[in-house]
Amino acid sequence: MSFIDTHAHIYDKSFDKDRAETLNRARQAGVSHLYLPNVDSTSIDAMMEVELQNPDYCTALMGLHPCSVKKDFEKELYIVEDWLHKREFVAVGEIGLDFYWDTTFMEQQKEAFKIQIEWAKMRQIPIVIHTRNSTNEALDLIESVNDDNLRGIFHCFGGTEEQAERIKAAGFLMGIGGVVTFKNSGLADFLHKVGLEHLVLETDAPYLAPVPYRGKRNEPAYLEFIAKKIAEICNCSPEKVAKQTSLNANALFEKKKFLNEKV
């Protein structure tokens, strides 16, 4: 089986001592490629260095994470915009809304989200969306600006069946990670109705490790546990999950129109 990890912070400091070994384990586990979402100005150098050292295996994205949106968020956005002018990126991310820890900068988050959506549309590249306690608000915003130039992933999807249907209707994909292996996630109740053609795999490493590694540092090699759980829920083989989600990821990031190809 061959998997694509559409969301891994492999440049995180928690991998500094064994990053090469972690990437080797990922390759041995069948992970064919990693996409690295940015957080803010403090993560860019490390992310770009990992991409530089692994050019055929790791691809950097560029964006401003909502948790890094503060009073002076315009300065952070300027840095993101500067990088988007410097070179091509396959997506803008991770961007979005996070109302879990603090809602002080709710309006600033929405503004930063809108601005980065427009940058992606101008470049005709997808967006990778972070939502926490804010999925409906993010969907409302996406639906208000949606057009043929807007596509992407709702990263770390753990929402409701209704939200899944709205995401599908908007033409977006759902990133499924370790949460699907948690007993209380609720995804097992309806994920089989969503359809594999609307899903991509992700780890969000080093966060949200799947069972049986829950509570430990996550890494891309654990993608197989996520695929196996999805296969169990959807009553199909892990090979089918791996193949379809890889087709979906390639169609999205390679700037091809998403055709809902099924296998």
Side-chain angles (χ1 to χ4, degrees):
M1 287 186 291
S2 177
F3 310 99
I4 293 176
D5 191 342
T6 61
H7 201 109
H9 301 273
I10 199 68
Y11 55 83
D12 187 82
K13 291 181 179 179
S14 63
F15 294 108
D16 282 354
K17 294 182 179 180
D18 66 341
R19 186 170 291 108
E21 292 83 358
T22 300
L23 291 174
N24 187 51
R25 286 192 294 272
R27 290 185 178 93
Q28 291 178 344
V31 180
S32 63
H33 203 82
L34 308 178
Y35 289 93
L36 317 182
N38 188 48
V39 177
D40 56 32
S41 60
T42 66
S43 59
I44 293 174
D45 287 348
M47 179 182 68
M48 300 303 290
E49 181 64 22
V50 170
E51 184 193 59
L52 181 65
Q53 293 178 357
N54 304 273
D56 297 323
Y57 196 60
C58 297
T59 300
L61 314 184
M62 182 52 60
L64 178 62
H65 192 290
C67 288
S68 294
V69 173
K70 307 298 181 185
K71 184 184 295 186
D72 61 347
F73 75 98
E74 292 94 346
K75 295 179 181 177
E76 285 284 340
L77 282 183
Y78 175 82
I79 295 170
V80 170
E81 185 179 27
D82 186 49
W83 271 100
L84 288 171
H85 285 306
K86 282 181 183 178
R87 51 158 278 184
E88 288 189 1
F89 288 90
V90 298
V92 175
E94 72 188 89
I95 65 177
L97 305 172
D98 192 312
F99 303 152
Y100 181 77
W101 297 109
D102 187 6
T103 57
T104 302
F105 300 105
M106 181 183 293
E107 294 307 314
Q108 288 88 342
Q109 284 189 29
K110 291 179 180 178
E111 182 65 20
F113 191 19
K114 291 177 185 177
I115 290 170
Q116 292 179 96
I117 289 171
E118 290 306 312
W119 289 344
K121 290 170 69 173
M122 288 170 53
R123 291 165 175 79
Q124 296 189 328
I125 57 177
I127 58 178
V128 175
I129 304 174
H130 170 105
T131 61
R132 195 173 187 191
N133 281 27
S134 58
T135 303
N136 285 331
E137 290 87 346
L139 276 164
D140 289 344
L141 198 154
I142 290 294
E143 289 165 352
S144 71
V145 299
N146 205 0
D147 60 25
D148 290 341
N149 290 322
L150 187 58
R151 64 198 192 281
I153 299 170
F154 273 77
H155 146 65
C156 195
F157 178 72
T160 65
E161 184 174 355
E162 179 184 3
Q163 290 168 340
E165 289 302 317
R166 289 179 70 186
I167 291 170
K168 286 169 59 176
F172 277 67
L173 300 169
M174 283 157 266
I176 307 298
V179 172
V180 74
T181 68
F182 302 169
K183 289 182 179 180
N184 62 349
S185 73
L187 291 175
D189 296 336
F190 65 87
L191 200 60
H192 61 286
K193 302 178 186 178
V194 171
L196 293 178
E197 65 271 24
H198 301 288
L199 308 180
V200 290
L201 302 180
E202 61 172 60
T203 58
D204 200 18
Y207 314 108
L208 295 172
V211 175
Y213 297 100
R214 187 174 184 180
K216 299 180 180 180
R217 186 190 71 173
N218 199 3
E219 60 178 78
Y222 299 161
L223 211 58
E224 61 179 307
F225 296 99
I226 297 165
K228 288 178 180 177
K229 185 61 179 180
I230 294 173
E232 176 187 319
I233 294 170
C234 296
N235 193 28
C236 66
S237 67
E239 288 80 7
K240 184 174 182 178
V241 173
K243 185 174 182 180
Q244 184 63 62
T245 55
S246 294
L247 283 171
N248 300 343
N250 285 331
L252 181 73
F253 290 121
E254 291 179 7
K255 300 183 181 180
K256 298 175 183 176
K257 186 176 180 181
F258 187 59
L259 299 176
N260 287 342
E261 183 177 358
K262 296 183 180 181
V263 296

